Amino acid sequence: MNQKESFIQEIQSRYSYKNDKIILGKAKLDGEIVEEAEISVALKTMNRHGLIGGATGTGKTKSLQIIAEQLSLKGVPTLLMDIKGDLSGIGAPANSEDKNAQERMQSLNLPFDPQGSPIEFLSISDEPGVRLRATVSDFGPVLFSKILELNETQESIISIIFKYCEDRNLPLIDLEDIRRVLQYVTDSDEGKSELNSNYGTIAPASLGAILRKIVALEQQGATKFFGEPSFDVQDLLKTKDGKGIVNIIRLIDIQNQPNLFSTFMLSLLNKIYSQFPESGDSDKPKLVIFIDEAHLIFKEATKALLNQIETMVKLIRSKGVGLYFVTQVPGDVPDAVLSQLGLKVQHALRGFTAKDRKEITKAIENYPTTTYYKANEVITQLGIGEAFITALDEKGIPTPLAYTHMRAPNSRMDVLTFDEINTIVSSSDLVNRYASEINRQSANEILSQKLEQQKNTEKPTTKTTSTKRVPKEKDWTDNPVVRDVSRTATRKLIDLGMKMLNNFLKGKK
């Protein structure tokens, strides 16, 4: 058996599954496409998470698009976090006259079937789409503290504040609510007394530090995100005509707000984990989430935040949810998270600098060893739309590393126009459901009313007490008759005095 026959046999045996699959392309050997060597992923393993990596312009976004649309065809809904704004094309069919796409699919001996996927636009900012909101209570004290990057002492204060609000039925909806509670227990005598007598003393300096952290989060635009109605994550699981809906969160205008991005992502994952039932070993995932430009999450994340993400990655798989991180180099993803990823689609990396070469070495170390390629050399020579791929078979064992010629997307490789986006948004039932913000009575309003009532009660009490404490005694001069007699007598005495003075002066002369 020659090398090519051995290669085909290994690929066919390891990339063969009993259940459904999605096809990504065909393997290459010695620079040629091997038609018999199909590279696919078992649909039931898509909840084992994954990585799509590669330098700018090597085809990461198109690989994401291919996987998402293939999942949609299998009835699996997806959630795409679109940082650059270039994923909307998945909602429209590809150009059937596109010669490059035709030639690529012909070379793979796969049918070219231009079609779009049903899509739903979502937004946490000013982009058009379904408004995504969450309440402060949705986060809980631990996650909310991690988002604010609080130390242990400050985190314990947040836990006390959440408990205080729970005991007194003070709903924490938005950031103004928790700010008001912090101010109330700091500035109000009654608030201080309630907190100290039931939960212990809190240093004003710590409360001040927490307030400053909240202000910093507000400056990143988080006020738009916190509120009601809170988004129901069950709305991510919809299908249309047998196809899974591709939910696209447009995040174009928050590229420079990594903390807000992390806040949103962790809130969403937390709600999905807490609300989705255990899924067991199913034939396909319930939902697959793609996080584009994943380095924005990890680059400035604290250790506590990274631990939270790592924990969520480990646990959320049991809910039938797959997480796929899209970034330039594997080094953008922490090792603890990277070790949890089953599917790896690695496009070309560039070895221009010593740091680049270290990243290449790290990337290669994450793949199974192979005798068919010099992986550290080939990874810098991969063309656009080519990638190293390794996945998990149905037993959870990594498949052999395959130099893969990727299929072309069935959907448009360009973005939708502004009018096309508006048409989709205007016809969405979810947009109308979440359009109007609910401003029900919460902690801010309740405590503001309480403080106002206290102020109004104190003012009349002070006046009444003063009157009773110092009663005014009646003076005999208050009688009008007495006042008239006094004025008359005074005038006569003055006249008599003047006459005596005049007589004395005349006698002297």
Side-chain angles (χ1 to χ4, degrees):
M1 185 184 297
N2 60 32
Q3 186 186 43
K4 183 176 181 180
E5 291 173 340
S6 174
F7 176 76
I8 292 172
Q9 185 179 31
E10 182 176 359
I11 294 296
Q12 287 182 340
S13 63
R14 298 302 311 284
Y15 283 88
S16 177
Y17 314 111
K18 294 180 180 179
N19 299 299
D20 210 351
K21 63 186 178 181
I22 61 172
I23 300 172
L24 300 182
K26 300 286 182 73
K28 296 182 72 172
L29 183 66
D30 297 328
E32 295 183 358
I33 298 172
V34 181
E35 188 177 315
E36 302 88 343
E38 180 184 276
I39 303 302
S40 57
V41 184
L43 195 58
K44 69 178 299 180
T45 67
M46 290 297 292
N47 67 332
R48 302 295 182 92
H49 313 317
L51 173 75
I52 302 174
T56 301
T58 56
K60 298 190 302 296
T61 301
K62 300 312 166 193
S63 292
L64 186 164
Q65 187 172 342
I66 289 166
I67 297 172
E69 69 181 16
Q70 291 300 310
L71 287 168
S72 177
L73 287 170
K74 300 295 182 180
V76 178
T78 55
L79 175 65
L80 281 53
M81 299 190 187
D82 188 6
I83 298 289
K84 300 188 295 293
D86 53 2
L87 295 175
S88 62
I90 197 171
N95 180 4
S96 59
E97 305 298 324
D98 187 337
K99 291 184 178 180
N100 290 330
Q102 290 176 347
E103 291 174 0
R104 178 173 286 266
M105 297 302 280
Q106 287 173 1
S107 68
L108 297 171
N109 194 24
L110 294 173
F112 182 43
D113 183 19
Q115 59 178 302
S117 301
I119 63 175
E120 187 81 65
F121 288 111
L122 306 97
S123 174
I124 63 172
S125 57
D126 294 326
E127 288 292 316
V130 179
R131 293 290 301 164
L132 299 183
R133 300 182 184 90
T135 67
V136 173
S137 296
D138 286 340
F139 280 77
V142 176
L143 186 56
F144 189 74
S145 297
K146 293 184 187 304
I147 290 161
L148 294 179
E149 301 178 8
L150 304 181
N151 58 34
E152 290 184 7
T153 301
Q154 295 163 349
E155 185 175 338
S156 66
I157 292 174
I158 289 295
S159 296
I160 289 173
I161 294 298
F162 269 71
K163 178 61 175 170
Y164 174 84
C165 293
E166 180 183 346
D167 292 345
R168 281 157 180 76
N169 195 24
L170 298 172
L172 293 174
I173 306 299
D174 53 27
L175 294 178
E176 192 61 38
D177 286 323
I178 195 161
R179 186 214 296 271
R180 174 64 69 185
V181 175
L182 288 168
Q183 291 171 340
Y184 179 74
V185 299
T186 306
D187 300 334
S188 165
D189 291 337
E190 183 176 341
K192 287 180 187 177
S193 175
E194 290 176 346
L195 200 70
N196 294 344
S197 60
N198 294 288
Y199 308 95
T201 304
I202 296 177
S206 296
L207 287 171
I210 295 171
L211 283 169
R212 289 192 293 273
K213 294 280 190 177
I214 292 173
V215 170
L217 190 61
E218 287 175 330
Q219 289 174 339
Q220 288 207 25
T223 50
K224 296 177 182 178
F225 172 58
F226 289 98
E228 287 185 318
S230 185
F231 184 72
D232 184 356
V233 291
Q234 298 293 331
D235 286 329
L236 297 173
L237 303 181
K238 296 183 179 298
T239 59
K240 184 177 182 180
D241 300 328
K243 294 181 179 180
I245 289 182
V246 179
N247 301 280
I248 301 176
I249 305 179
R250 292 171 61 80
L251 301 167
I252 303 168
D253 50 356
I254 65 165
Q255 293 185 30
N256 299 322
Q257 300 171 341
N259 205 16
L260 178 57
F261 183 31
S262 300
T263 299
F264 161 71
M265 191 204 75
L266 281 175
S267 164
L268 191 66
L269 295 182
N270 187 55
K271 287 180 72 173
I272 288 172
Y273 177 73
S274 62
Q275 296 182 23
F276 281 16
E278 292 290 327
S279 120
D281 190 18
S282 57
D283 292 335
K284 62 183 181 182
K286 289 181 184 176
L287 176 70
V288 176
I289 301 173
F290 295 87
I291 303 172
D292 198 8
E293 302 294 328
H295 65 276
L296 292 177
I297 296 174
F298 300 114
K299 187 176 181 181
E300 307 205 6
T302 62
K303 185 177 179 180
L305 192 58
L306 289 176
N307 289 339
Q308 189 73 18
I309 295 172
E310 179 189 346
T311 301
M312 195 60 67
V313 170
K314 289 178 180 178
L315 296 177
I316 204 169
R317 180 181 66 82
S318 66
K319 306 290 185 169
V321 178
L323 294 176
Y324 287 77
F325 299 96
V326 185
T327 190
Q328 293 195 7
V329 293
D332 290 336
V333 180
D335 291 340
V337 175
L338 198 61
S339 64
Q340 303 293 320
L341 310 182
L343 174 64
K344 296 184 178 72
V345 180
Q346 180 63 60
H347 291 271
L349 293 176
R350 310 304 182 200
F352 298 131
T353 66
K355 183 179 179 180
D356 292 339
R357 290 188 286 275
K358 287 181 180 179
E359 291 291 351
I360 290 173
T361 301
K362 183 175 181 178
I364 297 302
E365 290 174 350
N366 285 297
Y367 300 129
T369 56
T370 177
T371 59
Y372 297 106
Y373 313 111
K374 292 183 179 179
N376 59 337
E377 295 179 6
V378 176
I379 198 171
T380 63
Q381 301 166 5
L382 296 170
I384 296 174
E386 296 181 339
F388 270 145
I389 290 180
T390 179
L392 296 177
D393 64 19
E394 291 174 313
K395 295 180 180 179
I397 302 171
T399 58
L401 185 65
Y403 175 3
T404 306
H405 195 69
M406 303 289 289
R407 67 182 300 158
N410 290 329
S411 52
R412 186 187 297 179
M413 296 182 71
D414 199 359
V415 299
L416 298 184
T417 65
F418 183 76
D419 289 339
E420 288 174 322
I421 291 174
N422 280 343
T423 298
I424 293 171
V425 170
S426 62
S427 61
S428 168
D429 293 334
L430 289 183
V431 168
N432 295 328
R433 187 192 307 174
Y434 292 102
S436 299
E437 186 173 3
I438 299 173
N439 188 22
R440 68 183 174 99
Q441 192 177 56
S442 56
N444 180 35
E445 289 78 15
I446 293 172
L447 293 180
S448 294
Q449 290 176 6
K450 193 172 184 179
L451 289 171
E452 187 64 27
Q453 288 171 357
Q454 290 176 358
K455 186 186 295 185
N456 292 337
T457 303
E458 287 171 0
K459 286 180 179 180
T461 302
T462 303
K463 289 181 179 179
T464 304
T465 304
S466 175
T467 303
K468 289 181 179 180
R469 188 176 59 249
V470 188
K472 187 176 180 183
E473 296 182 359
K474 291 186 177 181
D475 195 336
W476 63 274
T477 58
D478 289 339
N479 191 308
V481 177
V482 174
R483 285 200 300 269
D484 289 343
V485 172
S486 297
R487 282 197 293 269
T488 302
T490 302
R491 283 198 300 272
K492 288 185 176 182
L493 286 173
I494 293 172
D495 291 342
L496 179 61
M498 291 299 293
K499 286 180 180 180
M500 291 174 63
L501 181 61
N502 287 332
N503 292 335
F504 172 75
L505 292 175
K506 287 178 181 179
K508 197 174 181 179
K509 289 180 179 181

